[in-house]
Amino acid sequence: MTGTAEPRNGPSAHLARLVACIGVFACLGAAGLAGCAAPEDTTQTLGSSSASSGSRMRTGGTAGPAASAVPGASAAPAARGETAALTGVVVVLDPGHNGANARNARTVAALVPDGRGGRKACNTTGTATSSGYAEHALVWDVAGRAAALLRGRGATVVLTRADDDGVGPCVHERGAFAGAHHAAVLVSLHANGSVNPAATGFHVIVPNPPLNPAQDGPSAELADRLVAALAAEGFAPNGAYPQGVSRRSDVATLNWSTVPAAMLELGEMRNRAEARVMQTEAGRARYAQAVAAGIEAWALARR
């Protein structure tokens, strides 16, 4: 602001603060805690109008999420200078596991098609840090933050689950979900739980051998972009995987995808140093920034 500033405690300043407070309360009354003039939430999930409600396998609750149900959904990424570079791009983010899986062991243990003629468990409980911070909670938080950043760039973001207190969906449903939503890309978010606490670093999994053209070159390119973006945020790849990429045939979520897909293991939850990062807001924000940047770089390179 230019010109002569009024004294901080002058009468006009008191009036301005009063008007601002009235505006805030009016906004909260109209929109709840979601914030004033929040952008429309484009999150969809298994169980939304474009998929059957039974696919979500929830143990109760409503079929669709509110905007505030997704971490970071009401964030304002435009303040970071984003533009609409990803307008028209549909991104599916798959936060692995779910909060109620552990209480529904029989359901998640049911066998489903693995995409290569075999069968495997519908889902699992995932891993956790030594202090009990769960993988499902970590990836749910990171997915929400990444979704907000991608929306700020114009993308339509679709999540495979609506919240972090349900069950499933099964791995084959997660993989098929992206194609059913005509998505450009699927990124499944997880974290590793190696028995050896000295294991460190992230890695990206791609399907191999590919079952369709999307699982071949485009998925490999996606993995490379994610690796580069995580490295740019200061994360190191797991040295057990060349260039941070693992090629596997046993990951049903990837096998069932008909769009370019990758599964990202954000790091090692049983490694104390990496667990500390995962358990902080700042650490999860860094992970989300890397996920969004990797997807954006891949999408722009494909245009």
Side-chain angles (χ1 to χ4, degrees), residues 67-226:
S68 58
V70 181
S74 59
R80 297 168 59 94
E82 288 89 344
T83 63
L86 298 181
T87 298
V89 177
V90 179
V91 176
V92 169
L93 295 178
D94 172 40
H97 312 287
N98 210 328
N101 280 8
R103 300 191 300 274
N104 294 270
R106 180 175 298 180
T107 300
V108 299
L111 296 180
V112 299
D114 70 355
R116 293 184 186 267
R119 310 276 284 178
K120 69 183 310 175
C122 161
N123 215 296
T124 66
T125 60
T127 189
T129 67
S130 59
S131 63
Y133 183 54
E135 178 185 358
H136 65 79
L138 167 68
V139 296
W140 173 249
D141 185 283
V142 172
R145 295 171 189 271
L149 293 169
L150 289 165
R151 289 190 201 106
R153 296 289 278 167
T156 297
V157 181
V158 190
L159 302 184
T160 57
R161 56 185 173 99
D163 49 44
D164 196 38
D165 57 12
V167 183
C170 294
V171 288
H172 67 304
E173 295 174 302
R174 293 172 185 257
F177 184 73
H181 282 75
H182 308 290
V185 62
L186 163 66
V187 174
S188 185
L189 298 175
H190 290 258
N192 216 25
S194 295
V195 174
N196 181 4
T200 61
F202 69 86
H203 68 278
V204 185
I205 304 169
V206 293
N208 186 64
L211 297 172
N212 55 59
Q215 292 181 4
D216 198 1
S219 292
E221 293 166 13
L222 173 62
D224 290 342
R225 296 289 183 176
L226 289 170

Side-chain angles (χ1 to χ4, degrees), residues 175-176 178-180 183 186 212-215 254-261:
L186 163 66
N212 55 59
Q215 292 181 4
L254 301 180
N255 291 342
W256 277 91
S257 182
T258 56
V259 308

